[in-house]
Amino acid sequence: MPGRFGGRRSVALSVSLCLGLATLGSLAPPAAPPASAASAVSAVPAAFAASAFGPLPGRHHPDDDRLSAETRPDEVASLGAEHAREHAERRLAARESTVYPQAARTSGLEALRTSQQQANTRLDASRSGRFTAFFPSPDFGVHVAQLPTGKVLLFSFERVEVDPRKETGPTDRIGRTNAGRAYLWDPARGTGAGAFKKVEPPTVLMPDGLHVPRPAPFFCAGHAFLPNGMVGVFGGNVGGKGGSGARLSFVFDPWTELWYRNRDMSVGRWYPSVVTGPDGRQIIMSGQSERGTGTPTPVVERFPALRHPVPWRPYDIPLDLAPERFRADAPFRNDYPHLFSLRDGKIYGLGRDADQQWLFDLATQTRTDLPRRPADFRGYGSAVPLPAGFRGPDSVLVLGGDPRDPNTYRLSGGAWSTEEPRAFGRTQDDTLILPDGTLLTVNGALATRDYGYGPFNPKADLKYRRTELRDARGHWRLGPAQRLPRGYHSNALVMPDGRVMVTGDELQQIANDPDIRDGMDGSIELYEPPYLHQGGSRPALDRVPGGELAYDEEFRVDSSTASRVKRAVLLAPTTVTHAVNTSQRHLDLRFTGTPGSGGGSIGLRTPPGAADAPPGYYMLFLLDAKGVPSTAKWVKLGHR
């Protein structure tokens, strides 16, 4: 989407998805929700369905006229208004695809496949890992989340262009074309179209002068996990004004696979950040207001409000709950600050501007200054709370965001230090904590939409497709190249089987779509880290407790390879967008005996408190002496 501040601070607008890969392990399915809860998921009003493509009151976008003319009455009668509209959109896209022909997309994808193969041929998978799969997805994956059901949530927007040299998202559109979409990927069902399920966002009427029903335009929102495994999603795009903030507040329930709407926030937010604190409540900051691009809001909100209980159990569905205003403000000049809840129980807000680094105290609702970061302005780059053993993280590593600066910067003990650089500077990168505590960087670009050969150019410098790995000593090395260059709106997450899912960047996905006429707009690729290529079998994790675990509590797990287990870790699931991942967390668990001494049972102890690991679902991995992880099972931390 078009740049908003110009020059090096230009940003484009799009959406991220939540991906989740896992097996449910020992978790029992939750009880069915109250019958009334399902009513929160809006449906298209019957009156709208009957005249979906009729004249609209007031202003409307020319795309509405084109869709109306293309829509066939017989398809409306036989398929329904929404399905008929999808057919009309595909026909329009097929005709418009001649501007950027299918042959260019197909040849581009083949060239990327060839260059990836050539770049990776001589790499040793036991040292560098390898990419193993590339397959179509029905969504761009601008927002992704790893759900505790073993499925991945992806959501973004309906495309308005199929020419990758133009803006493909509806940032500045008014009316029904400014709409969101969402899907679930079930990796247990493979990688074909049948492994995806559409989970339509609630239908809303946006305050854009048209008030036309459409799936909620929640792209460029912020999100984080609630203690019951649900994903809170806040903000979105009203449309127009270069992109303007929506007050929308939703929860996605992984257990019912439905969306639920809550009361609107007090201000509109487009590009906000959200983090879950040790009390399980979510803190929402920043974002462009309803007035449009260039009007960031300083208002901080908390969800749910203190007068409402925190949603704790899988059947505690947040419905019509209100947020409340936090006393301190957060006057970030730029969007999507990195937010982290660290070991001291406070929220660290690390802004893109060097002088906007702040500490928020949840108990006193106050804000204090942190030291100025050594680096200058950082755009869309990643940041990671570094593993700290048995306790929660107490330091953060800031990476990327400036293609001229390959250094990484660590905030620890209230002071900044310059750490070992990566191979080169990049923006739009995603950095993940792996089960063995090492770091992996994927994705990246020279600038917002520049992949090395100019903006909006589907070609890319090969180096921005190279991964980078950071070992336990803090040393970086380059890894294999991914298939697609993925810059703006790219995302990645760690799956419960230890693999990494990579997706995002709608421009590159459209530019290299093997069939622009079908319904698979996006793509996903899978990476296997080096620990999956060490030879031999993986450790086994056969059973974990099915109930909730209290803090500082002893519990036991079963493993048929208990004598080989040298380490047990918790890894928080990822929900990420725009290189902002506030949910990552890695903790070692204490052994309460010698693994294997009790046969196939291993004694472990949970983290000391909620400040170390905020309440919610975590992936539990067992690792052997080589750092090879088991397939994870899910455990839930909290209060009994």
Side-chain angles (χ1 to χ4, degrees), residues 234 333 387 454 481 631:
F234 304 92
R333 288 188 291 271
T631 295

Side-chain angles (χ1 to χ4, degrees), residues 384-387 431-440 494 531 571-572 574 581 584-586:
V384 175
L386 291 173
T431 301
L432 297 169
I433 311 173
L434 299 178
D436 62 356
T438 61
L439 304 184
L440 168 73
V494 179
Y531 52 60
L571 191 69
T574 281
N581 187 338
Q584 288 200 90
R585 212 174 198 87
H586 180 288

Side-chain angles (χ1 to χ4, degrees), residues 133-158:
F134 179 90
F135 54 95
S137 164
D139 195 79
F140 298 131
V142 180
H143 302 262
V144 299
Q146 166 69 69
L147 304 177
T149 59
K151 299 180 183 180
V152 178
L153 174 68
L154 309 97
F155 63 97
S156 60
F157 49 79
E158 293 289 353

Side-chain angles (χ1 to χ4, degrees), residues 331-612:
F332 289 106
R333 288 188 291 271
N334 285 282
D335 308 322
Y336 278 134
H338 292 290
L339 303 181
F340 297 103
S341 176
L342 297 188
R343 183 193 298 179
D344 57 9
K346 295 180 173 60
I347 303 299
Y348 288 71
L350 309 182
R352 301 187 183 279
D353 293 277
D355 63 338
Q356 294 200 301
Q357 315 296 312
W358 291 317
L359 180 65
F360 298 86
D361 190 311
L362 297 178
T364 61
Q365 300 190 54
T366 55
R367 185 191 87 231
T368 55
D369 291 338
L370 290 169
R372 181 187 178 94
R373 190 185 58 230
D376 194 4
F377 178 80
R378 312 289 285 193
Y380 290 101
S382 52
V384 175
L386 291 173
F390 302 128
R391 298 293 306 278
D394 59 1
S395 64
V396 174
L397 192 67
V398 176
L399 315 96
D402 185 345
R404 295 183 297 274
D405 183 3
N407 286 316
T408 62
Y409 298 91
R410 181 172 180 168
L411 176 66
S412 180
W416 289 94
S417 59
T418 301
E419 303 290 300
E420 181 174 311
R422 293 185 293 189
F424 51 86
R426 64 171 99 188
T427 68
Q428 323 301 327
D429 59 290
D430 294 274
T431 301
L432 297 169
I433 311 173
L434 299 178
D436 62 356
T438 61
L439 304 184
L440 168 73
T441 292
V442 297
N443 303 323
L446 177 66
T448 301
R449 290 295 198 190
D450 188 336
Y451 305 85
Y453 295 104
F456 288 90
N457 189 323
K459 295 182 180 180
D461 188 329
L462 178 65
K463 75 177 185 180
Y464 295 114
R465 294 160 58 197
R466 294 287 301 273
T467 60
E468 290 192 64
L469 299 116
R470 181 181 186 267
D471 64 23
R473 296 172 298 170
H475 301 319
W476 292 93
R477 68 178 185 277
L478 284 171
Q482 57 198 70
R483 178 74 54 87
L484 250 62
R486 298 182 190 267
Y488 196 56
H489 297 154
S490 62
N491 291 297
L493 57 80
V494 179
M495 298 159 58
D497 63 7
R499 294 181 297 171
V500 173
M501 171 186 172
V502 182
T503 189
D505 191 331
E506 70 283 353
L507 185 152
Q508 289 294 341
Q509 292 173 99
I510 287 177
N512 299 285
D513 192 328
D515 186 354
I516 196 64
R517 299 166 300 177
D518 67 14
M520 306 295 275
D521 287 340
S523 63
I524 292 171
E525 43 198 311
L526 301 179
Y527 168 78
E528 294 180 350
Y531 52 60
L532 294 181
H533 295 275
Q534 299 304 309
S537 62
R538 300 171 65 171
L541 177 54
D542 302 314
R543 188 187 67 84
V544 298
E548 192 172 283
L549 297 173
Y551 292 103
D552 201 27
E553 176 186 7
E554 182 178 355
F555 67 102
R556 305 195 72 81
V557 301
D558 292 340
S559 171
S560 58
T561 61
S563 61
R564 292 172 48 200
V565 173
K566 302 302 180 185
R567 194 176 177 191
V569 302
L570 293 181
L571 191 69
T574 281
T575 178
V576 59
T577 184
H578 292 74
V580 175
N581 187 338
T582 68
S583 65
Q584 288 200 90
R585 212 174 198 87
H586 180 288
L587 295 100
D588 281 86
L589 294 180
R590 295 161 287 177
F591 289 106
T592 59
T594 302
S597 61
S601 179
I602 300 174
L604 299 170
R605 185 173 293 278
T606 58
D612 295 286

Side-chain angles (χ1 to χ4, degrees), residues 123-131 469 480 527-531 533:
L123 294 180
D124 180 0
S126 67
R127 175 173 168 77
S128 301
R130 70 177 182 183
F131 284 90
L469 299 116
Y527 168 78
E528 294 180 350
Y531 52 60
H533 295 275

